[in-house]
Amino acid sequence: MMEGIRRYFWRALFVVIMAAGAWATYLRFWGGLGAATNLSDQFPWGIWIGFDVLCGVGLAAGGFTLAATVHIFNIKSFRPVVRPAILTAFLGYLLVVVALLFDLGHPYRIWHPIIMWNPRSVMFEVGWCVTLYTTVLFLEFLPVVLERLKWHTALKVMKAATLPIIIAGVILSTLHQSSLGSLFLIMPNRLHPLWWTPLLPVLFFISAVATGLAMTIFESWHSSKAFGRQLEYGLVCRMTRVLAVITAIYLTLRFLDLSHRGALSTLNQPGFERWMFGLEIVLMAVPMLMFFREKTRQHPLAVYLGVVMWLLGFVTNRMNVSVTGLERSSGVHYFPKWSEIAVTLAIIAAGFAIFRLAAHYLPVFEEEHEEEATTPAGSGRIPTLEAARVPGD
Amino acid sequence: MVVLLVIVTFAVFIAIDLLLSRQKVPVVAPAMQEAEIPAVGQELLSGFHIPMNLKYHPGHTWVQKERKNVHRVGADELAAVLAGPVDRIELPKPGQWVRQGQKVFAFYRGNEKIEMVSPVEGEVVEVNREIAENPRLLLEDPYGRGWLMTVFSPDEESPTRNLLPSSLIPAWIRESAETFYSFQPQLAGATAADGGRASKDATAALPLNKWKEAARALLLS
């Protein structure tokens, strides 16, 4: 009974969201930005940039975090979660591009930066990073499709190119995650001092790495429920520990920077900024403290709720940088129109639906196997002490 | 306000999902139930119970595949007899990455300890809390309730690398038993196994320094 309600509730909601999204899309492309949004010259970036792009890119960070962990740092135990993370990242970036098409005044000119260069613009770098990294993510995900199609020759070629592709991906996403912070560096007089800092690119990057881990845990939890897979809990526990450490580094940097710039005094000034700042910090600090306790890590539900809280904290941070921190200086109060919300929800719903389809039809949850030489069983020799010992032990 | 709108929207969706699927928690890599533990063989080799359907590391630990990528690990009966009645067993922490041949278990008699190595490489999923509280289980039921840890090995092949081929197990146990008896002062010289079982307190008369020496030689630690 409950299962039926659950299935039909989400399906019905999906249909409603997509229908609203379709109507909003019609409004946007036939009526223009003015008809479909509450954006203005004073406040040109709303939730399509603040949430869809800034959060979308951050939430896709699991791809480069885990690809680097497994393929570059050779920590093989994380191999089972690499493919879902890369799929999430690929879908995340594709949907960011879709969101950009909605937000750009002239979406049909999205290809211009590729031809008409302006190397002094941060936006130029962001545009190029999105283009290149989406391509790289496509190449990283391609082996899964080739495996499904059983195109072994093409798969071999792709596997040979794995490492350079992964390295390119890590470099590009590092550039991109940080350059989204750099975008806001150019408005020191507009962005509230609680969020404007020369360290923005570094803070964006560190929080993106942590978000990559959090998203991987989040999606492992949901995949295990949806597809009846086993949640490799040991792996999840390790990720939460790393997440706690990265959060500690992030928050330490954040507060050192705030006190160094004397921005903490702005917390005494009235206004909703300080409350939003408080919310952001609480949503990150509470899960961090939770994950440092071994008792919490032994409870899957507590870990899941902690991860959800962390992700909401991350979203709060990006929204604060892109919306809350800019409202006071712009002199206008921005609240998104229903069509902006509908488009955003439709993009997220499409992401979930495509992920589900991909997980159903492609070997997303199967690990890639690296051909390694193995000792033939029964080689007829008792392994020596040296064979059993680990060098350096 | 925009922030609150976004946060509340997601919090509501997640709360609804939790509410609707509260019966459906993720299948966490489970702790094995007693009933699920496959029966181990009853073979006796050189006076020791050495089930032939398990895999062994030369350091006298056994490995049993529990499911894909997950292996259960314990000490064989020879190691359990050698450890004898111990006061305390130190196990690795869940989540710890252990390498093959790395010292991971310690058995204490007072302040003195002997160590055992891990037979496989991987991440510790679970350790046997029961044995930590009741170390006697090691001697009483080394292949059942006396297991030590389960390990998640992402690589399907490597866990079985460097483990003994089954054809060599009898010879290896015979050799180990002879080494073990050679440490016994009252049994110095060659002795032949006559089909009897090793005594559970075979190390009672062994001085501590000999006990540690025997452990180093047999458990490769």
Side-chain angles (χ1 to χ4, degrees):
Chain A
M1 171 70 185
M2 198 54 130
E3 182 54 34
I5 293 174
R6 184 172 175 271
R7 187 179 300 160
Y8 289 108
F9 173 80
W10 290 119
R11 285 182 186 181
L13 190 66
F14 178 75
V15 171
V16 171
I17 287 174
M18 291 319 268
W23 180 243
T25 305
Y26 166 78
L27 270 183
R28 156 70 188 90
F29 288 104
W30 268 259
L33 285 171
T37 69
N38 282 341
L39 298 172
S40 60
D41 286 343
Q42 291 74 33
F43 209 94
W45 282 356
I47 59 165
W48 285 349
I49 293 294
F51 182 81
D52 301 19
V53 175
L54 258 63
C55 297
V57 166
L59 296 173
F64 88 90
T65 309
L66 283 151
T69 304
V70 171
H71 292 284
I72 296 176
F73 302 122
N74 206 25
I75 304 173
K76 289 181 182 173
S77 60
F78 286 93
R79 224 193 274 172
V81 287
V82 171
R83 281 186 169 181
I86 286 177
L87 172 61
T88 309
F90 182 41
L91 287 178
Y93 266 78
L94 279 180
L95 296 170
V96 162
V97 173
V98 171
L100 279 173
L101 289 172
F102 275 89
D103 190 74
L104 291 172
H106 297 287
Y108 43 87
R109 291 184 186 168
I110 195 166
W111 54 273
H112 276 204
I114 299 173
I115 309 295
M116 303 163 199
W117 285 31
N118 177 9
R120 281 170 295 280
S121 158
V122 177
M123 195 69 95
F124 171 78
E125 192 215 337
V126 169
W128 264 93
C129 279
V130 173
T131 311
L132 291 175
Y133 190 47
T134 308
T135 312
V136 164
L137 280 167
F138 166 75
L139 292 173
E140 282 181 22
F141 189 68
L142 196 57
V144 180
V145 182
L146 296 176
E147 237 174 69
R148 177 77 179 78
L149 297 171
K150 295 192 167 64
W151 291 2
H152 298 298
T153 315
L155 191 61
K156 263 188 184 167
V157 173
M158 283 310 301
K159 286 217 166 163
T162 295
L163 198 60
I165 289 173
I166 300 278
I167 292 171
V170 172
I171 292 169
L172 288 166
S173 49
T174 302
L175 279 169
H176 188 212
Q177 298 288 356
S178 53
S179 62
L180 284 177
S182 312
L183 270 184
F184 293 88
L185 275 186
I186 51 186
M187 22 182 144
N189 303 320
R190 289 196 57 197
L191 188 57
H192 194 282
L194 281 173
W195 292 285
W196 188 92
T197 155
L199 282 184
L200 258 181
V202 178
L203 293 173
F204 262 50
F205 176 71
I206 297 173
S207 54
V209 171
T211 305
L213 292 171
M215 265 309 275
T216 307
I217 298 169
F218 179 82
E219 109 207 340
S220 297
W221 166 282
H222 281 279
S223 302
S224 71
K225 279 205 305 186
F227 307 109
R229 294 171 57 245
Q230 284 185 329
L231 186 67
E232 287 302 345
Y233 201 60
L235 220 54
V236 169
C237 283
R238 278 177 87 189
M239 284 195 272
T240 52
R241 276 211 307 273
V242 178
L243 180 58
V245 172
I246 297 175
T247 310
I249 294 168
Y250 172 81
L251 290 175
T252 307
L253 259 180
R254 186 86 198 273
F255 278 96
L256 280 175
D257 167 69
L258 284 167
S259 72
H260 178 71
R261 289 185 299 109
L264 284 171
S265 57
T266 56
L267 290 171
N268 296 325
Q269 296 168 5
F272 64 95
E273 285 93 349
R274 60 180 177 175
W275 299 113
M276 290 301 116
F277 172 80
L279 177 70
E280 172 192 327
I281 298 300
V282 165
L283 285 172
M284 287 184 171
V286 170
M288 175 189 78
L289 296 172
M290 281 168 71
F291 295 150
F292 272 128
R293 288 183 71 239
E294 198 172 337
K295 272 191 176 169
T296 309
R297 293 202 301 265
Q298 287 168 356
H299 291 96
L301 186 63
V303 166
Y304 172 72
L305 291 175
V307 160
V308 166
M309 208 186 290
W310 204 98
L311 290 171
L312 292 178
F314 168 82
V315 169
T316 308
N317 167 261
R318 295 300 195 261
M319 297 296 297
N320 279 340
V321 170
S322 58
V323 177
T324 314
L326 291 169
E327 276 192 313
R328 190 184 292 264
S329 61
S330 67
V332 293
H333 177 65
Y334 164 78
F335 194 82
K337 205 171 187 167
W338 75 264
S339 42
E340 288 178 83
I341 298 167
V343 166
T344 297
L345 286 176
I347 286 174
I348 297 165
F352 271 94
I354 299 169
F355 185 96
R356 201 185 167 89
L357 287 173
H360 190 76
Y361 290 105
L362 296 170
V364 171
F365 294 116
E366 289 168 34
E367 291 171 49
E368 51 196 307
H369 290 289
E370 290 173 16
E371 288 80 29
E372 288 177 14
T374 58
T375 312
S379 55
R381 202 171 59 84
I382 293 188
T384 56
L385 191 57
E386 285 68 34
R389 281 250 170 90
V390 172
D393 238 18
Chain B
M1 287 311 106
V2 185
V3 178
L4 291 180
L5 168 82
V6 172
I7 297 292
V8 170
T9 306
F10 281 99
V12 166
F13 277 138
I14 284 161
I16 291 170
D17 178 62
L18 276 174
L19 195 73
L20 290 178
S21 63
R22 61 185 183 278
Q23 324 291 347
K24 206 176 171 184
V25 290
V27 192
V28 174
M32 273 233 292
Q33 301 306 311
E34 289 297 318
E36 292 173 7
I37 298 173
V40 292
Q42 294 301 321
E43 295 84 353
L44 277 178
L45 300 172
S46 307
F48 293 98
H49 174 203
I50 304 290
M52 291 299 283
N53 58 348
L54 300 178
K55 288 192 172 297
Y56 296 89
H57 182 269
H60 287 277
T61 40
W62 54 262
V63 180
Q64 184 181 35
K65 188 172 175 174
E66 213 174 79
R67 56 178 196 281
K68 189 172 182 277
N69 300 94
V70 177
H71 297 80
R72 175 170 290 238
V73 170
D76 69 15
E77 194 180 58
L78 190 143
V81 167
L82 169 59
V86 290
D87 309 324
R88 188 160 65 86
I89 295 181
E90 210 171 69
L91 300 165
K93 283 195 166 65
Q96 186 183 329
W97 183 264
V98 295
R99 288 171 299 165
Q100 194 175 46
Q102 181 188 337
K103 295 172 192 171
V104 286
F105 312 115
F107 305 109
Y108 285 82
R109 283 187 188 177
N111 289 329
E112 298 294 337
K113 68 171 179 181
I114 60 170
E115 292 178 302
M116 281 189 90
V117 297
S118 170
V120 290
E121 176 167 6
E123 182 181 352
V124 179
V125 176
E126 201 187 356
V127 292
N128 187 356
R129 293 187 191 286
E130 202 184 352
I131 200 173
E133 286 160 18
N134 179 14
R136 287 204 61 78
L137 287 174
L138 184 72
L139 259 176
E140 288 167 8
D141 191 8
Y143 303 106
R145 292 171 62 208
W147 62 278
L148 297 170
M149 66 175 178
T150 53
V151 176
F152 171 78
S153 308
D155 192 347
E156 270 291 273
E157 295 298 330
S158 66
T160 55
R161 231 173 280 162
N162 295 329
L163 299 184
L164 292 158
S166 54
S167 57
L168 294 181
I169 290 172
W172 163 69
I173 282 290
R174 192 167 52 245
E175 229 173 86
S176 299
E178 280 170 14
T179 309
F180 178 49
Y181 295 143
S182 72
F183 281 97
Q184 302 280 13
Q186 72 277 34
L187 295 173
T191 52
D194 57 0
R197 293 292 310 275
S199 160
K200 294 285 186 195
D201 58 353
T203 54
L206 215 54
L208 276 177
N209 63 337
K210 284 279 185 194
W211 178 60
K212 290 168 77 172
E213 200 182 318
R216 270 198 298 274
L218 287 163
L219 309 182
L220 310 184
S221 59

